[in-house]
Amino acid sequence: MDNFLNKTEQDKKFKDLEARLEACKKREKDLTAEIDELTEIKHYYDILMENTEDFFLICDKNGKPRAYNNSFKKTVKKCLGVNVDPDTETYKISNNQNAINAWSAHYKRVLNGDKFKADYTVRSDRGEHHFETAFCPIKKDGEITGFTEITRDITERKNAEKALKKSDTFNTSLLDHSPNAIIVFNNDTSVKYVNPLFVKMTGYTAGEAIGKKAPYPWWVDAPEYGTIEHRLKLGLKGINNTERKYRKKNGDYFWVELNVTPIFKNDKMHYTLSTWVDITERKESEKEKKQLEEKLQRSQKMESIGLLAGGVAHDLNNILAGIVSYPELLLLDLPEDSSLRGPIKTIMESGNRAVAIVQDLLTIARGVATAKNTVNLNDLVNDYLNSPEFNTLELYNPSVNFKTDLDYNLLNISGSYIHMRKVIMNLAANASEAIETGGNVTISTRNRYLDRPLKAYNDVKTGEYAVLSVSDSGTGISDKDLNRIFEPFYSRKVLGRSGTGLGLAVVWNVMLEHNGYINVSSSNKGTTFDLYFPITRNEITNIESDPDIRDLMGNGEKILIVDDIESQRDISKRMLEKLGYRIITAASGEEAVEFLKEQSVDLVLLDMIMDPGMNGRETYEKLLKINPYQKAVIVSGFAETSEVKTAQKLGAGPFIKKPVTFKTIGLSVKNELLKKLP
């Protein structure tokens, strides 16, 4: 029994041993499989560690290396010149205390549980190397037992970054110092970059410009530039050498030559480059050149028309002499109660009105010259406002209110009273007819000193001026008409209402003759004519009153009348005979010269223009060879020309215009005869 129990226990123990043995075999098998797996993993790890270019280092919590790969070992050898081993604390090999302190700080940080990256540079006799290290703590059962370092050589990247930065600096320098304004736009139209010249050109700072989207504040709305969408489409296609007008921050305008280039990368547009070349000076020069050309054309046109007008006026004056002068002679002979006096006066008045028109023609003729005295514009204005002509103007324009604003400290000017009065009359008439349904016409005067030239309809030079202004509240003058208003016979007046088209032409030519300037400003609220007259410091002298005909009477002096037109000779002869002179006539200069070779006269009344044959100046030169002290009065239906002035320099007396009157011919002859010989 005991043996049986012992055997049973033995069998049980044997089976337990077999089970344990099986378990051990299984455990051994599992361990073998685990070892094989770990061996394989280690094999892969070794391959990774040995073949990667990154440096792997595993340190304990004291910072001592416990594992590292060949790349780390080779780099330490290359950079520091030492062989690394598990106990080598590489950072302590450095002679740079700053480097030691930095690495000590990195180790302290990672052992505190931080995971981070750090860049550093190693310098040696082999050169400069740049590295980036990733620090990661190693934990076991929640406790940090060490850390890993994975280091990558970023020398090439750093060098590339330096080269790129240098390139960017170079490119930025090019952009900053470019002679052109440069703007870079993103695809959403926002401004990406502007260079300093853009800032200087526009007045917008880089901060104010960058980020702005279309429409940009410097854009100018102009129909020829198209809509915003159209302008943006042009930019996408590219723009070459196009002129654009832009607005500065301060509101001033400037011109640029614009080029826009879309920049593509991998067939995709990344941004748009716009360059500006400032052409403001060129545009201003072109504008000034155009204005000068227009002024030259206007001047040439006025000169041509003036030549025509002068020729017509000369012929008309000869014709009008019979209408003006004969009635004056007839009235002297008619009794006061004669029924013919009325019709003859009407004929004479009509002739005088025609003479006034001819005088306007002479005023716009080339070479017109008039005697000038010291006058005051205020006197001229007041004289006109109290004249029959102004009363008639008010009568024809009852809806116009005439006002004055005169500076009673106005300085004097040197001018022709008659012509200046005609200027005021023409401007007042022109202003009143510009008002259609009622309004104001204001005549004003003021002193003005210009210390810099004034860019106006005429460019006004620096100096002191008395300014006459005539303003109306009419509908204004269009730009098209404004460039032509001073042309003779150019009129916007209704046919048959009034005017000859000479009014403003007279104003223009009188201003030229008085060395003055005109500025015209006009809008839909009205027009203002500003006339600038150079001032004089001379005082006004008394204006002579019309002489009594008895004061013009002669004492039988002998006068030779030289004129190629018979009617003119007859009129002058009759008038001078009425005044008590003895008269001889000659039909040409040649005839006069032959006559005076044999006889002498007290005075020669000499026509200036005689065709064919010698003119008045040539005749007078020959007469002086016969008698160096020969007195003469010049007569012409034309304006006072250089030939007249030459004759006067030779010794001839006053110049009188045809048609002559008792006053003009009588006073001129009387004064010349009274002149003492040298």
Side-chain angles (χ1 to χ4, degrees), residues 52 76 115 163 197 268 375 457 472 474 550 653 659 676:
T52 183
V76 172
K115 185 178 181 179
L197 191 56
K268 183 179 179 182
V375 295
Y457 194 92
D472 66 68
R550 289 171 294 183
K676 293 182 180 181

Side-chain angles (χ1 to χ4, degrees), residues 121-134:
T121 301
V122 176
R123 296 176 179 84
S124 67
D125 55 0
R126 294 177 178 82
E128 189 175 76
H129 294 270
H130 304 279
F131 300 94
E132 180 185 72
T133 298

Side-chain angles (χ1 to χ4, degrees), residues 428-487:
N430 192 73
S432 63
E433 292 187 357
I435 299 173
E436 297 178 355
T437 58
N440 298 319
V441 171
T442 303
I443 303 175
S444 61
T445 58
R446 68 187 186 278
N447 295 314
R448 185 169 184 186
Y449 172 71
L450 295 179
D451 58 0
R452 64 185 62 186
L454 174 66
K455 294 290 184 181
Y457 194 92
N458 277 143
D459 292 344
V460 187
K461 297 180 180 179
T462 58
E464 293 180 298
Y465 296 94
V467 183
L468 170 71
S469 298
V470 179
S471 304
D472 66 68
S473 58
T475 56
I477 305 171
S478 69
D479 291 339
K480 178 182 177 182
D481 288 325
L482 197 60
N483 290 325
R484 300 189 62 189
I485 57 174
F486 294 109
E487 293 179 13

Side-chain angles (χ1 to χ4, degrees), residues 560-566 569 583-601 604-606 610 612-615 618-620 622-623 626:
L560 173 64
I561 298 174
V562 185
D563 200 306
D564 60 329
I565 299 176
E566 183 179 359
R569 296 194 302 272
I583 306 301
I584 305 99
T585 62
S588 67
E590 290 82 357
E591 184 179 337
V593 171
E594 292 302 318
F595 176 81
L596 290 178
K597 284 180 180 179
E598 303 296 331
Q599 300 186 46
S600 64
V601 294
V604 177
L605 191 68
L606 183 60
M610 296 181 287
M614 294 188 299
N615 64 20
E618 294 168 331
T619 302
Y620 188 59
K622 291 188 178 296
L623 295 182
I626 300 171

Side-chain angles (χ1 to χ4, degrees), residues 55 71-83 90 93-95 120-131 151 153 155:
F55 319 145
S71 294
F72 177 79
K73 186 175 182 179
K74 289 178 181 178
T75 301
V76 172
K77 176 69 175 177
K78 180 179 179 181
C79 294
L80 301 179
V82 297
N83 291 315
T90 53
I93 298 174
S94 172
N95 293 323
Y120 62 97
T121 301
V122 176
R123 296 176 179 84
S124 67
D125 55 0
R126 294 177 178 82
E128 189 175 76
H129 294 270
H130 304 279
F131 300 94
T151 302
D153 189 338
T155 302

